[in-house]
Amino acid sequence: MPKKTPNPTKSLKIPFFIIVSVKLCALISRKLVTAYAAKLFTTPIKHKIPKRELKMDSESLQNTLHIPAIDKSITIYEYGKSEKKALLVHGWSGRGTQLFKIADSLLEDGYSVVSFDAPAHGKSAGKSSIMSEFIESILEIEKQYGPFEIAIGHSLGGMSVLNALKNGLQVKRAVVIGSGDVVQDILDDFISKLRLKPEISVRLRDYFEKKYQVKMDDFSAYKAAKKIETPVLVIHDKNDPEVPAKAGIHIHDNLQKGSLFLTEGLGHRKILGNHDVINKIIEFILN
């Protein structure tokens, strides 16, 4: 019997026991359920590295880098030895080797690759993280391992690349794949998946803004896009169940020098290994 493969257009579901525990918290108090939702939102799942990524893992030079701005340390992967460098940024609950097929293609075209496990991801220590820590990690990596010619980010990593560009990251070209866009939309979707009332999404936003002393919407990708002069290729699947294609389209519409490539039937993760997608990335980088 042929092995069943996951449907790339089917959204990942939150476990039922979490839904039940969230509902119980909601019955006790809105403050409690907001704090619990915040904990869930900032706690990534650490997946075991799959066999397909073991080559990049074993052939990379790995080091630990301290990020002073957040007082956390992360694992760095140096893959290849070329002076031309590309920075790869994984998404939420991802790993530094997750974009391995893109990395292998970059090596074939004369680049070396630097990637990393964000705080609380992969081999990096910690149990919680948030996008601002991805951004600070990117900026510190540029200081220690740059300069980079290319930056490529997937999902939350795409949002982080755009925000890092806004905050001074210097590259010749950037690519974002399946990137989220409006922060409030992301919070709304998360609260909806937890089957909580929409008002909890607003409370969750307020919770984070008070805790981190920031405006969450300032991290929205389209806002960063407006300030970026670097050419950016936006890649998004029309059937992405995790991040709707309207996010990628909206980001593209706000870029000064943007290109848009929409795929179909690849979902949120399968897109990372697609031959046509990788060819499009290489074509964009080299032209």
Side-chain angles (χ1 to χ4, degrees):
M1 179 180 282
K3 184 179 179 181
K4 288 185 178 181
T5 56
N7 183 350
T9 61
K10 187 175 181 180
S11 177
L12 295 176
K13 288 187 177 181
I14 293 176
F16 182 69
F17 77 91
I18 291 181
I19 300 292
V20 172
S21 61
V22 166
K23 289 285 189 181
L24 289 173
C25 287
L27 289 173
I28 297 170
S29 78
R30 289 182 297 180
K31 184 176 180 180
L32 179 62
V33 75
T34 300
Y36 185 33
K39 181 176 176 60
L40 291 172
F41 189 79
T42 56
T43 304
I45 299 170
K46 285 194 176 187
H47 299 283
K48 182 180 178 181
I49 184 169
K51 289 182 179 179
R52 61 182 177 271
E53 297 174 24
L54 290 177
K55 179 177 180 291
M56 180 176 174
D57 180 70
S58 63
E59 295 181 6
S60 296
L61 176 63
Q62 297 176 26
N63 289 295
T64 300
L65 176 66
H66 183 69
I67 313 298
I70 58 175
D71 195 23
K72 292 187 177 183
S73 295
I74 59 174
T75 298
I76 302 290
Y77 299 81
E78 295 180 84
Y79 192 42
K81 297 181 180 180
S82 173
E83 291 299 315
K84 292 198 305 179
K85 297 179 182 179
L87 175 65
L88 303 187
V89 186
H90 66 76
W92 188 251
S93 294
R95 304 161 299 283
T97 53
Q98 192 170 14
L99 281 66
F100 74 99
K101 282 198 174 181
I102 296 172
D104 285 340
S105 293
L106 288 168
L107 261 63
E108 290 175 7
D109 282 282
Y111 289 86
S112 62
V113 168
V114 175
S115 63
F116 65 100
D117 293 334
H121 289 72
K123 299 175 184 178
S124 295
K127 294 183 178 180
S128 66
S129 189
I130 199 163
M131 182 167 61
S132 57
E133 296 185 347
F134 278 62
I135 298 165
E136 292 295 348
S137 296
I138 291 170
L139 295 174
E140 185 63 27
I141 290 169
E142 182 187 32
K143 291 178 186 177
Q144 303 298 331
Y145 292 88
F148 296 103
E149 295 198 7
I150 310 297
I152 302 174
H154 173 240
S155 195
L156 182 70
M159 292 183 76
S160 301
V161 165
L162 293 172
N163 276 279
L165 286 168
K166 180 187 73 174
N167 292 340
L169 173 66
Q170 297 292 316
V171 293
K172 293 180 180 178
R173 293 190 173 227
V175 181
V176 296
I177 307 167
S179 174
D181 181 22
V182 181
V183 173
Q184 190 62 55
D185 288 350
I186 296 169
L187 295 175
D188 290 347
D189 179 65
F190 180 71
I191 292 302
S192 175
K193 286 179 178 177
L194 289 176
R195 303 181 196 176
L196 293 172
K197 294 179 180 179
E199 68 177 275
I200 302 300
S201 178
V202 176
R203 292 179 65 88
L204 184 60
R205 180 200 65 203
D206 294 344
Y207 175 94
F208 285 131
E209 291 188 346
K210 182 178 180 180
K211 181 175 180 178
Y212 295 103
Q213 294 297 298
V214 295
K215 286 291 183 183
M216 294 296 283
D217 192 48
D218 288 346
F219 293 94
S220 292
Y222 80 95
K223 284 198 166 184
K226 291 179 178 181
K227 299 181 179 180
I228 296 171
E229 297 182 0
T230 305
V232 178
L233 171 62
V234 179
I235 301 175
H236 215 111
D237 192 77
K238 294 177 182 177
N239 311 109
D240 189 327
E242 302 296 321
V243 184
K246 68 176 184 179
I249 294 168
H250 190 228
I251 291 169
H252 169 258
D253 289 346
N254 282 277
L255 284 164
Q256 297 181 37
K257 299 176 183 177
S259 302
L260 179 64
F261 181 54
L262 295 175
T263 63
E264 194 163 355
L266 296 178
H268 191 62
R269 293 171 184 82
K270 190 177 178 182
I271 195 170
L272 296 175
N274 180 263
H275 182 73
D276 292 338
V277 168
I278 294 173
N279 282 346
K280 188 72 176 180
I281 291 171
I282 299 301
E283 176 187 317
F284 173 75
I285 289 170
L286 297 180
N287 290 341

